[in-house]
Amino acid sequence: MSSERLDTVDEILSNQLENNLGDEDILRKEDIVDSTEEEYPNAMAVYTGGTSGSPIKVPYHEDVLSTQLDNDADVLSLSGVNEDDYVMNAAAPKPHISGWDIRNGSYRLGADVASNESYEDWYELAGTDEAEDVTVIASVPAAADQMIEWRKGS
């Protein structure tokens, strides 16, 4: 990994907020997996992309979504994404959160987003005129590996 990327990772880590939301602690993974709709009636369930193991169900309450979008935009901004970019989304598909994060975080920064939804349909964009406009590919690791292998074979 380049020293520039490591500097970005260090910057992200140095800006981490305390692990809570106001006066309430964020749920631990075990609490989330065992949570029910009755406990969180105004929440929707999304799933992590499963990058580090099996996808995990995460209840998102409407009050948290704006903060989530701010965080998504901050991470993308630290990665160099800005309003001049055209972002291809190769993150996990709905109901996983990563694709939603990439799409909406990019929009929050004023960037344009390609027509594909996730890593499931990135190949539909490859080789098109729209692909020529892409300046950033935001991806989960498995999809990035797949794209690299595809490129080697083409």
Side-chain angles (χ1 to χ4, degrees):
M1 186 177 283
S2 73
S3 65
E4 183 178 310
R5 286 186 181 162
L6 287 175
D7 290 345
T8 299
V9 170
D10 287 341
E11 184 176 348
I12 291 168
L13 290 173
S14 70
N15 290 312
Q16 293 297 298
L17 300 175
E18 188 177 332
N19 190 17
N20 69 37
L21 294 172
D23 294 332
E24 297 182 38
D25 288 336
I26 290 178
L27 295 173
R28 296 174 301 123
K29 179 169 71 170
E30 297 80 17
D31 297 330
I32 293 169
V33 171
D34 296 334
S35 65
T36 65
E37 289 182 24
E38 293 81 29
E39 291 176 90
Y40 304 99
N42 294 323
M44 65 178 190
V46 294
Y47 290 80
T48 64
T51 303
S52 60
S54 297
I56 298 167
K57 177 175 73 170
V58 181
Y60 269 78
H61 189 276
E62 60 191 332
D63 296 341
V64 179
L65 290 176
S66 181
T67 301
Q68 179 68 36
L69 284 174
D70 289 341
N71 293 339
D72 298 336
D74 287 347
V75 168
L76 290 167
S77 178
L78 283 169
S79 300
V81 177
N82 63 53
E83 68 275 357
D84 297 325
D85 284 311
Y86 193 76
V87 180
M88 184 177 116
N89 184 356
K94 295 173 186 174
H96 301 281
I97 191 80
S98 64
W100 186 89
D101 287 340
I102 298 302
R103 177 169 294 283
N104 292 292
S106 297
Y107 284 140
R108 176 76 51 114
L109 291 172
D112 289 322
V113 180
S115 60
N116 74 305
E117 290 287 325
S118 71
Y119 64 70
E120 289 185 332
D121 61 357
W122 69 266
Y123 53 87
E124 293 175 13
L125 196 63
T128 67
D129 289 341
E130 184 181 9
E132 297 296 320
D133 296 331
V134 172
T135 57
V136 174
I137 298 174
S139 175
V140 294
D145 290 343
Q146 186 183 47
M147 284 183 230
I148 291 166
E149 289 305 313
W150 175 81
R151 182 69 176 132
K152 286 179 182 176
S154 63

